[in-house]
Amino acid sequence: MNILGIETSCDDTAAAVICDGKIIKSNVVASQKEMHKKYGGIIPEVSSREHFLNFLPVIEEAVTQAGITYRDLDGIAVTNGPGLAGALLVGVNSAKGLAMAWDKPLIGINHLEGHIYSAWLENDELGKAYGFPMICLIASGGHTDLVVMKDHLEYETIGRTVDDAAGEAFDKAARILGLGFPGGPEIQKMSENASGLVPKLPRPTVKNSLSFSFSGLKSALARRAESEGFYSNGIPSNPTDIQVREYSAEFQEAVVDCLVKNTLAAVEEFNAVAIVLGGGVAANSRLRIRMNSDSTVPVIIPAPRLCTDNGAMIGAAAYYRFRDGYSQEWDMDAIPNLKL
Ligand code: KG4
Ligand code: ZN
């Protein structure tokens, strides 16, 4: 079964052709990161316009690279939430147009379900080998959710951030340290040769819960930067290379500590047989190392290029939905706050 997976929920226009939920025949991503860099974050209107311009070229490239024609497609899947309203609308309406013109079944996929199903790409034995339940940590620019996956397509959200998402925290910390956007990869790079020279930042918790809180950690970094004189009135003022390196590493370690602690507590509480990581923050090398070393159950982490937003994950999730007989009405809509 060949599915065209389409993703436009944030700042990447992406399309992929996925066979049987696991084989990546093509995976094309047109990133807007360079465009948003100069604003230090994502401007929704700019994002919608870019999706509109990139949509057809990206679809065409995905189908061509897969070595097929549209006639060989068995279905089309598109992210219909959660995400930026305008960005989702471009994807959903354009996908409807394609499905109508090409006479293909269409399905809307939850972006978070897509991040989870990245783990099945090039790895279809996953569910069979470990069974269920699994604990999924989805950590991205917009979400930090802990989910129990009880079976294919069956989820219960057991924890989430009560303020900033982990990726958002990385992006804000990077701004404090005078680094570029997106912040996660910059902070990871800067952390590489740190020596643990600065006092620890806090590891915020949410009492009696598996939820996360990152805004206090970001504020603690800002207060520390102010007291050391390299951040004032919301603007970084010439931090030294050592300050950037050491605070990047300490901030990263604090975020990773919070993510690992709650994920392992969830494994214990729900007797999970494996952990699945997804979302842009799952590309973080320190998180990948720590989750693997601290967990007593297998940890499945997609390749970094499949952790950040892509169309392949949407095609993978759609395979399981089509297989179980799901289909969509033409009135399927973009839902910016869609829940898992
Ligand atoms: O999943 P994603 O591509 O888009 C959303 O759905 O939000 O995640 C983007 C987020 C950004 O906040 C970015 O800073 C973060 O993921 N990110 C990382 C890394 N790569 C991307 N955070 C930490 N370390 C990384 N290597
Ligand atoms: Zn995402």
Side-chain angles (χ1 to χ4, degrees):
M1 186 189 271
N2 285 322
I3 297 173
L4 175 65
I6 302 170
E7 154 63 38
T8 68
S9 71
C10 192
D11 62 342
D12 292 308
T13 317
V17 175
I18 301 303
C19 182
D20 294 344
K22 60 185 179 209
I23 300 159
I24 303 175
K25 288 192 162 177
S26 65
N27 189 20
V28 178
V29 181
S31 172
Q32 305 173 5
K33 301 250 171 347
E34 284 304 316
M35 179 81 70
H36 295 289
K37 228 171 205 162
K38 54 178 178 271
Y39 307 109
I42 296 160
I43 309 288
E45 288 76 9
V46 174
S47 160
S48 310
R49 197 192 59 208
E50 287 299 303
H51 285 310
F52 185 72
L53 294 174
N54 291 333
F55 189 86
L56 282 179
V58 165
I59 298 289
E60 205 169 0
E61 202 177 327
V63 174
T64 308
Q65 272 186 22
I68 61 168
T69 75
Y70 75 86
R71 288 189 189 82
D72 304 313
L73 290 172
D74 298 292
I76 297 177
V78 62
T79 305
N80 71 325
L84 301 171
L88 289 167
L89 272 174
V90 175
V92 166
N93 286 324
S94 308
K96 279 185 188 176
L98 283 184
M100 208 168 268
W102 291 349
D103 193 22
K104 305 288 176 189
L106 175 71
I107 196 162
I109 294 292
N110 186 307
H111 182 79
L112 303 174
E113 180 169 70
H115 274 307
I116 291 173
Y117 273 95
S118 291
W120 270 262
L121 285 165
E122 298 167 337
N123 188 11
D124 79 317
E125 294 302 306
L126 197 157
K128 282 181 237 157
Y130 304 116
F132 294 98
M134 294 179 179
I135 296 295
C136 308
L137 170 69
I138 309 157
S140 70
H143 293 88
T144 305
D145 288 358
L146 261 183
V147 173
V148 187
M149 187 176 186
K150 298 169 180 174
D151 203 337
H152 279 297
L153 312 179
E154 234 183 85
Y155 319 99
E156 184 191 343
T157 302
I158 51 169
R160 57 167 64 85
T161 181
V162 296
D163 40 57
D164 293 349
E168 187 183 359
F170 272 115
D171 295 337
K172 288 178 175 171
R175 232 173 285 158
I176 293 169
L177 295 170
L179 299 171
F181 175 84
E186 297 276 322
I187 288 199
Q188 176 182 315
K189 196 166 76 199
M190 289 302 151
S191 303
E192 270 162 19
N193 300 311
S195 339
L197 292 176
V198 293
K200 281 192 167 237
L201 291 165
R203 270 68 173 155
T205 54
V206 180
K207 211 171 170 195
N208 300 326
S209 128
L210 291 168
S211 285
F212 303 93
S213 170
F214 293 110
S215 81
L217 172 59
K218 174 214 63 191
S219 302
L221 174 67
R223 297 296 86 77
R224 197 74 72 75
E226 279 165 354
S227 73
E228 292 204 15
F230 67 87
Y231 185 70
S232 64
N233 299 322
I235 299 169
S237 54
N238 303 317
T240 64
D241 289 351
I242 293 175
Q243 282 167 325
V244 173
R245 188 184 75 201
E246 297 300 324
Y247 277 108
S248 288
E250 175 51 20
F251 187 85
Q252 174 175 267
E253 205 62 25
V255 174
V256 167
D257 275 343
C258 297
L259 294 174
V260 170
K261 181 168 174 255
N262 285 14
T263 306
L264 299 189
V267 167
E268 191 99 324
E269 190 171 330
F270 291 88
N271 273 323
V273 293
I275 293 170
V276 166
L277 300 191
V281 177
N284 183 270
S285 53
R286 185 70 188 142
L287 176 63
R288 298 165 82 93
I289 290 169
R290 283 281 313 281
M291 198 67 88
N292 266 310
S293 66
D294 292 13
S295 172
T296 52
V297 298
V299 182
I300 300 103
I301 318 177
R305 76 190 161 87
L306 298 174
C307 290
T308 47
D309 289 351
N310 62 82
M313 67 188 200
I314 303 304
Y319 168 75
Y320 291 90
R321 292 217 164 254
F322 277 131
R323 192 190 67 172
D324 286 12
Y326 287 89
S327 69
Q328 210 89 36
E329 304 295 327
W330 287 111
D331 61 1
M332 183 260 290
D333 214 348
I335 306 171
N337 61 355
L338 185 65
K339 301 279 178 287
L340 194 63

